[in-house]
C-alpha cells in the first residue's frame, strides 16, 4: 500500500540515520541534483559537509537506486531521480550556493570543478564572478583532455555572453563572442571527429558524444551507430 516515493524516503532515512544525519534527506538530494553527475565523492562531501566514508555507506545502502562507480555517484533509475528532484526543493538554494563556492575554490586545480563551475555560478545567480572567471581563464588549462577542455571553454563563453546580454553589456558580450569564434570552429570539428569514429567516441568520450551527437536531432543519422 505504499507509494514508490515512500519506499525511497524510508530507505534514505535509514541510510542517513546510520551516518548520524537522519533529517538531511533534502540536503543530500539537493547535492545530487545540483552537482553534475556522475559526482565525485570528494566534491559531494565538500558541498554537503558529510565525510566521504559516510557517503559511501549511504550510497551502498541506497543501491541499486544510487550507482557508485569508481568513486563517482549517479542515478540508476528515472523514478528515483524524479523522487530526488522533488525531495531536494527545500534545500536547493542553500546547496546551490555551497556548490558554487566549492567549485569556484577548486576550479584552478581540479578537472571536475573546472568543467562545471560556470554552470554552478550561473545557477547561483553569480554572473559577475562568472565574467571575471572567463576573462581570466576562458579555457581551463587544468583539464588535460582536449575534448573536455574545449567543451568547458564553450560552456563558459556561452554563459558569459548570456550574462552580458541580460546586463545590457554589449561591448563585453562582443569580446566573448570574438574569443569564442575559434572555439565554435573547433566544436564543429569535434562533431565530425566523433561522428566518424563512434567506436572510439563511445569508449573514450562517451559523455561528450552523448551531448554533441545523441542530443542533437540534426545528427540523427549517426544515432544508430552510437
Amino acid at each position: 500500500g505504499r507509494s514508490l516515493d515512500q519506499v525511497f524516503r524510508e530507505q534514505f532515512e535509514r541510510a542517513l540515520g546510520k551516518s548520524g544525519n537522519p533529517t538531511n534527506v533534502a540536503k543530500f538530494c539537493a547535492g545530487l541534483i545540483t552537482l553534475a553527475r556522475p559526482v565525485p565523492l570528494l566534491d559531494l562531501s565538500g558541498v554537503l559537509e558529510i565525510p566521504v566514508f559516510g557517503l559511501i555507506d549511504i550510497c551502498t545502502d541506497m543501491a541499486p537506486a544510487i550507482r557508485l562507480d569508481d568513486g563517482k555517484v549517479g542515478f540508476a533509475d528515472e523514478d528515483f531521480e524524479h523522487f530526488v528532484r522533488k525531495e531536494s526543493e527545500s534545500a536547493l538554494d542553500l546547496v546551490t550556493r555551497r556548490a558554487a563556492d566549492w567549485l569556484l575554490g577548486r576550479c584552478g586545480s581540479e578537472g571536475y570543478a573546472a568543467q562545471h563551475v560556470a554552470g554552478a555560478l550561473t545557477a547561483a545567480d553569480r554572473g559577475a564572478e562568472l565574467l571575471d572567471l572567463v576573462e581570466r581563464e576562458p579555457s581551463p588549462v587544468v583539464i588535460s583532455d582536449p575534448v573536455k577542455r574545449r567543451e568547458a571553454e564553450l560552456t563558459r563563453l556561452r554563459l558569459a555572453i548570456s550574462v552580458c546580454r541580460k546586463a545590457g553589456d554589449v561591448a563585453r558580450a562582443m569580446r566573448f563572442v570574438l574569443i569564442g569564434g575559434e572555439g565554435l570552429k573547433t566544436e564543429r570539428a569535434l562533431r565530425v571527429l566523433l561522428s566518424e569514429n563512434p567506436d572510439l567516441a563511445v569508449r573514450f568520450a562517451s559523455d561528450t558524444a552523448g551531448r554533441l551527437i545523441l542530443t542533437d536531432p540534426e545528427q540523427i543519422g549517426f544515432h544508430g551507430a552510437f
Side-chain angles (χ1 to χ4, degrees), residues 107-152:
C107 66
S109 59
E110 198 271 322
Y112 176 85
Q115 188 82 32
H116 301 293
V117 63
L121 290 172
T122 303
D125 197 23
R126 290 163 61 170
E129 290 171 275
L130 170 62
L131 296 182
D132 290 341
L133 172 67
V134 179
E135 289 268 16
R136 185 171 65 250
E137 189 183 38
S139 180
V141 295
V142 71
I143 300 177
S144 58
D145 185 327
V147 174
K148 291 185 177 180
R149 183 169 63 250
R150 182 60 70 185
E151 191 174 9

Side-chain angles (χ1 to χ4, degrees), residues 53 64 69 74 78 85 100 110 118 120-121 154 157-158 169-170 182 194-195 222:
F53 64 83
D69 183 28
E78 289 183 1
R85 287 188 181 279
E110 198 271 322
L121 290 172
L154 292 171
L157 290 167
R158 285 179 177 137
D169 190 345
V170 178
E182 186 62 32
L194 294 171
S195 62
F222 300 104

Side-chain angles (χ1 to χ4, degrees), residues 2-81:
R2 294 178 299 168
S3 69
L4 197 55
D5 283 359
Q6 287 174 313
V7 173
F8 286 143
R9 188 175 294 106
E10 289 174 6
Q11 280 187 280
F12 249 130
E13 288 172 351
R14 283 197 299 270
L16 289 165
K18 292 179 183 179
S19 70
N21 296 285
T23 62
N24 280 345
V25 174
K27 179 179 167 184
F28 187 88
C29 289
L32 291 177
I33 292 300
T34 300
L35 293 163
R37 295 177 298 279
V39 190
L41 282 171
L42 179 62
D43 294 286
L44 188 61
S45 173
V47 172
L48 298 182
E49 298 178 337
I50 297 175
V52 170
F53 64 83
L55 292 177
I56 293 174
D57 289 342
I58 293 169
C59 293
T60 301
D61 289 338
M62 290 302 300
I66 286 181
R67 179 177 294 153
L68 179 60
D69 183 28
D70 194 26
K72 297 180 180 180
V73 183
F75 297 139
D77 183 273
E78 289 183 1
D79 289 327
F80 182 70
E81 181 175 355

